[in-house]
Amino acid sequence: MIDICTLGTGGTMPLYTRALSSLYIRHGGRALLLDCGEGTQVEIGRLGWGFIRLEALLISHYHADHCSGVPGFLLALAKANRLEPFHIYGPPGLTRVIEGLRVIAPTLTFPVELHELPPQGDSFEAAGLQVRAFPLNHGMPCFGYRFHLPRPGLFLADQARALGIPVQAWSFLQRGERVADWRPEQVLGPERPGIDFLCATDTRPTAGIREAGRGTQLMILEGMYGAEEDLPKALKNHHMLFREAAQLALEAGTRRLLLTHFSTSLEDPAAFLPEARRIFPDTACAADGMTLSLGWPEAT
Ligand SMILES: [Zn+2]
Ligand SMILES: [Zn+2]
């Protein structure tokens, strides 16, 4: 099971009524953050899922609405007495940007480890999730992220007993950890389908998003503009219309589409939902502080 909170759903600048877009993703006591605009720490505090479990921050790109909250956020982690390393991932330019932001947050209680990813993206593990960063089309280096939570095979208790493995070791093996000379693959059945979802803001539609969306339960895409007359603005600023996001969800064959990163000019994003639902019926608009859970595929 994975819990996701859309901490904020705004693009460009925060409004009194809408924080900047950021996701809090947690599972099994571990957590990570995707994007960290101004004020993100306030929204994390409001949510109540805590700071201390956050192990990593993934940054989509270096427009201020996605990273200007980093200094305050790191200081909040220090205030929560974090001691373990904190990991930050992002497209080329990460070191320069974070070192610049760290000038105003120089003293922390923990080391910050930077992972500057190559322009074509990369695969890595963060907070127990398998993550794939892939390039978007935003007029500057920008990544979408696809997440995969693997699900181990069923635990074969009869086999564990036959091998003489003590019961105290079972839960470790079940989690994929070795115990003494015993290996998880000795007592686990074949791997079962895991949980897959992706998030892609800010961008024009791309074949890469469509491809990365295949086999996902959920795609979180930007809905910067709703009205058709805003298409020239979307083209100029490298953003999407609701209907373009819906078309990507349809072509990727995902189960659900959640729109976020709304323009400040979009007072009531839900007013444009019918446009998107005509193309992809299972579309919803995110709201600040909204939470949703993704279960194992058989259960949903
Ligand atoms: Zn943005
Ligand atoms: Zn941007």
Side-chain angles (χ1 to χ4, degrees):
M1 169 89 88
I2 294 182
D3 301 316
I4 298 171
C5 177
T6 50
L7 291 168
T9 56
T12 315
M13 56 187 280
L15 303 176
Y16 296 128
T17 51
R18 200 184 287 155
L20 289 174
S21 84
S22 170
L23 292 183
Y24 191 125
I25 300 163
R26 71 171 184 181
H27 73 98
R30 307 183 72 177
L32 59 81
L33 203 62
L34 172 48
D35 280 336
C36 188
E38 184 184 343
T40 295
Q41 60 165 320
V42 179
E43 304 311 315
I44 297 171
R46 202 193 307 276
L47 174 66
W49 288 0
F51 286 87
I52 205 71
R53 286 178 176 175
L54 287 161
E55 298 175 31
L57 164 66
L58 278 47
I59 299 178
S60 60
H61 65 300
Y62 307 117
H63 279 150
D65 54 330
H66 298 260
C67 61
S68 60
V70 167
F73 166 70
L74 292 176
L75 291 168
L77 284 183
K79 195 159 172 279
N81 290 320
R82 183 177 186 85
L83 299 173
E84 304 78 25
F86 185 80
H87 300 270
I88 305 183
Y89 298 82
L94 180 78
T95 309
R96 193 170 140 258
V97 170
I98 299 298
E99 283 181 354
L101 292 167
R102 283 288 309 277
V103 169
I104 55 170
T107 310
L108 300 172
T109 54
F110 54 91
V112 176
E113 291 187 10
L114 301 181
H115 306 268
E116 185 162 324
L117 305 173
Q120 72 276 16
D122 208 350
S123 295
F124 54 94
E125 201 218 283
L129 293 172
Q130 292 171 11
V131 185
R132 181 159 69 85
F134 58 96
L136 300 177
N137 174 3
H138 191 46
M140 69 184 303
C142 183
F143 285 156
Y145 292 96
R146 178 182 165 131
F147 300 89
H148 172 68
L149 178 63
R151 187 181 192 190
L154 280 171
F155 188 78
L156 309 171
D158 288 345
Q159 207 149 311
R161 271 188 220 103
L163 289 165
I165 301 174
V167 175
Q168 295 91 316
W170 289 14
S171 61
F172 294 97
L173 291 161
Q174 200 161 14
R175 284 202 300 268
E177 295 169 26
R178 287 183 72 128
V179 181
D181 284 339
W182 296 300
R183 298 182 316 278
E185 54 271 27
Q186 291 177 286
V187 289
L188 295 179
E191 189 178 317
R192 292 170 287 177
I195 298 173
D196 294 272
F197 69 100
L198 73 72
C199 178
T201 77
D202 308 359
T203 184
R204 290 290 305 144
T206 70
I209 301 173
R210 194 162 49 235
E211 185 270 320
R214 298 226 159 87
T216 55
Q217 292 187 22
L218 169 73
M219 289 171 76
I220 301 172
L221 298 178
E222 69 157 77
M224 185 69 161
Y225 303 112
E228 200 56 40
E229 67 243 33
D230 283 334
L231 183 60
K233 257 198 279 183
L235 288 164
K236 177 169 163 279
N237 301 327
H238 298 89
H239 282 294
M240 273 195 264
L241 300 182
F242 276 35
R243 69 154 173 85
E244 292 179 308
Q247 188 66 32
L248 278 176
L250 176 74
E251 290 169 7
T254 192
R255 292 196 200 160
R256 298 160 72 184
L257 169 64
L258 188 64
L259 296 172
T260 187
H261 195 282
F262 306 119
S263 162
T264 51
S265 64
L266 217 54
E267 266 179 43
D268 177 19
F272 294 97
L273 262 182
E275 316 286 325
R277 285 182 175 160
R278 252 196 292 280
I279 298 163
F280 189 77
D282 207 344
T283 304
C285 283
D288 287 17
M290 184 177 119
T291 62
L292 60 101
S293 297
L294 301 177
W296 300 116
E298 295 93 333
T300 48

